[in-house]
């Protein structure tokens, strides 16, 4: 059983106008663009995570036998900077992916309505 609202066939002109408006809205899928942007941010965040891990390893990791670590007493500024950038990138990615999911749900509801109207107007064979 379909959960899409069933349009009435009372006014085919109004249904055709709504059909055209929905077709125009569904012409471009904004959710795909937002999801792509979110995935790009995830990719950049993963690179930032790897960079942060590499910088932390260089600072505190095990050394090869015979290698002496120079202790400068300074804070690891680049590590902190990489961690902050990574956290910001991943937070933006989560926000973009959540927005994309919301847009996908809205587009799915519009598409269900679009299909129901096409069925009433008998535009599909």
């Amino acid at each position: 059983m379909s959960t899409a609202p069933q349009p009435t066939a009372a006014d085919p002109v109004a249904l055709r106008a709504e059909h055209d408006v929905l077709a125009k809205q569904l012409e471009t899928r904004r959710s795909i663009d937002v999801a792509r942007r979110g995935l790009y941010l995830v990719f950049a965040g993963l690179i930032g995570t790897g960079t942060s891990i590499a910088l932390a390893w260089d600072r505190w990791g095990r050394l090869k036998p015979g290698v002496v670590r120079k202790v400068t007493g300074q804070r690891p500024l680049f590590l902190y900077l990489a961690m902050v950038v990574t956290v910001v990138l991943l937070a933006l990615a989560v926000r973009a992916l959540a927005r994309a999911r919301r847009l996908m749900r809205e587009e799915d509801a519009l598409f269900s309505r679009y299909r129901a109207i096409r069925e009433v107007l008998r535009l599909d064979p």
Side-chain angles (χ1 to χ4, degrees):
M1 179 173 211
S2 176
T3 60
Q6 297 299 322
T8 60
D11 189 10
V13 175
L15 286 177
R16 183 62 188 203
E18 184 181 358
H19 171 271
D20 294 342
V21 169
L22 286 173
K24 187 68 174 168
Q25 286 177 348
L26 293 170
E27 193 172 78
T28 57
R29 302 270 318 256
R30 292 182 333 209
S31 62
I32 301 302
D33 295 334
V34 174
R36 184 184 63 223
R37 189 177 318 126
L39 291 175
Y40 286 157
L41 287 170
V42 166
F43 180 72
L46 290 176
I47 290 175
T49 301
T51 303
S52 297
I53 290 171
L55 288 171
W57 184 261
D58 289 345
R59 175 81 177 188
W60 296 296
R62 299 173 88 196
L63 296 175
K64 293 180 182 178
V67 177
V68 177
R69 178 170 305 181
K70 286 181 164 181
V71 179
T72 60
Q74 297 175 349
R75 292 192 172 127
L77 180 64
F78 291 122
L79 172 61
Y80 295 157
L81 182 63
M83 288 172 52
V84 167
V85 168
T86 299
V87 168
V88 169
L89 284 173
L90 292 176
L92 289 174
V94 167
R95 188 182 82 174
L97 292 174
R99 181 170 178 244
R101 183 67 184 137
R102 181 181 49 82
L103 287 172
M104 283 180 195
R105 282 193 301 269
E106 291 172 4
E107 288 169 353
D108 188 41
L110 288 176
F111 187 70
S112 295
R113 174 72 178 160
Y114 177 75
R115 293 293 304 253
I117 291 173
R118 286 186 67 83
E119 193 173 299
V120 168
L121 291 175
R122 293 190 174 109
L123 296 175
D124 291 329

